[in-house]
Amino acid sequence: MIKIDAVKLPEARVYQAPTELDELFDGVEIEISPRWMGQKIRKADMYMEIGGPKHGYQSYIHVDVVPDENQVEDGRIEHIGPDIDEIEPGTSFPFGIWLRCWGSQLTEDHVDPLIRAGFMPFEQGEGWMLVNTRDTIWIRMNKESAHKNNWKKMGQALLGMAKINFPLVEKVEAQIIIGAEEVGGRDLIQQILDTTIRPEWEAYDARLMGLEDEDVDVFYGCTLCQTFAPNHVCCITPQRNPYCGIMSYLGAKALVEIDPYGYSFVMPKGECLDPVMGRYTGVDQTVYERSSRTVKYVNLYSSLRYPQTNCGCFEAAAFYIPELDGIGLVDRRHPGDTPVGLNFSKMAGFMSGGNQNHGTMGLSIRTPKSKKFLQGDGGWERIVWMPNEYKTQLADCIPEELYDKIATEEIGIDVPTIKEFLKTKEHPIIDKYWKDGEPLSLKVPKPNEDWPDE
Ligand code: SF4
Ligand SMILES: [Zn+2]
């Protein structure tokens, strides 16, 4: 039973899932396979939504690994809140899903790949759509699949995926909270997040933050998103976590050790050709081979020149604003337009698909916390615009002297207004990149084309 010390939980329904390997999925009716990745479910087609913007992005999927096998009751599923057939079609809830795992060789480093496994029934489940991670997670199920699902079966699928993808998991149990009003609604989920889960995430991130790209001998890569974005290759380094935000360097390392022939692989560093841009011969070579020989170079720390290709599951994006010779950031939560005249979803639509889009690059929400974030483009000194909410969330990692100089939608989204604002605030971009107080626009090559000087 997953007890949450700081919060009193309402009564749960308890189910027992099969624990024998050949029976793990008995009774699960949906297919779970990479061919269902990247599905979009429109509001009109949705039967149920959990997480996402309606609830202020206060939901979670959380995995922990415990040291004592007596802390896990194998196959136990606790379900709090209404079941799928007990709700009105089209309903939306905040939610929380917690998987607790034990295995004699399982460690904290396995948490990331385990989260990936935990996502699979939603990410790769027939009739389900999943975007984002952690508290910004957003899941929908379509009307066609409603009759095939209930929370007992989904719980069983979650436990089953954790076990078959992770033979190191010897015991696993799940707690599923669908935050309907009668069980405490968003308040309940938020209390769990604030008292218990966010501190765990912070501790996990802090561990990773101590590691720099120079400290390690190899990087890792992932091509799982090639199922819907051909030629896409994610480069995973300690200071550059991948777009989906699910995986991290330590997670990829653990995954490759368990499954050396899977979607994740070792990316040798080779020789460092440019430490500021983040250009490595080993990265270039691996990306070239794994992208069907379409992408020749990748700069790990640039969104402008030879950035990593974009799949489609990025949680945020960096985009070049030619009229300001600056870079804007936007995350999926922000519904409004940006200074380039597009909102996040339109921008994501044109930049997705596995191309190398000079000037437009996907990000995980957490990427800007890295010290090497866009350092090849000038780092924070090149950032001129971002949504207010995202800026507030990143306040800790934006250099203090720059914080008030970065425009938001509250200043405006039209270029002349932002330009005036940057001048008034004496944004460093003016001295470092503009000429005589005016921006010089770069002529950015088309996707997959080379810069003229390369
Ligand atoms: S975004 Fe990158 S790391 Fe995440 S699943 Fe796709 S290819 Fe793998
Ligand atoms: Zn992806």
Side-chain angles (χ1 to χ4, degrees), residues 225 228 311-313:
C225 287
F228 63 90
C311 46
C313 51

Side-chain angles (χ1 to χ4, degrees), residues 207-221 235-240 248-253 266-272 280 283 300-301 372:
R207 217 170 122 237
L208 199 64
M209 284 291 172
L211 207 56
E212 307 217 348
D213 287 359
E214 288 77 9
D215 301 338
V216 298
D217 296 331
V218 291
F219 297 146
Y220 294 93
C235 308
I236 309 175
T237 82
Q239 291 180 293
R240 201 183 187 295
S248 66
Y249 182 79
L250 294 175
K253 179 170 184 275
V266 171
M267 191 175 271
K269 285 169 95 171
E271 195 191 331
C272 180
Y280 289 85
V283 171
L300 295 174
Y301 320 131
K372 290 194 164 59

Side-chain angles (χ1 to χ4, degrees), residues 37 116 123 221-226 228 232-236 241-248 263-264 308 311-314:
M37 264 183 92
R116 155 118 272 153
E123 188 190 38
C222 178
T223 49
L224 181 57
C225 287
Q226 286 192 358
F228 63 90
H232 170 69
V233 185
C234 263
C235 308
I236 309 175
N241 59 337
Y243 297 155
C244 56
I246 302 173
M247 200 55 81
S248 66
Y263 294 110
S264 299
Q308 183 181 289
C311 46
C313 51
F314 38 86

Side-chain angles (χ1 to χ4, degrees), residues 397-414:
C397 60
I398 302 176
E400 217 180 306
E401 67 283 5
L402 274 170
Y403 192 84
D404 291 330
K405 301 181 178 180
I406 299 173
T408 67
E409 74 279 17
E410 287 169 5
I411 302 301
I413 55 165
D414 62 302

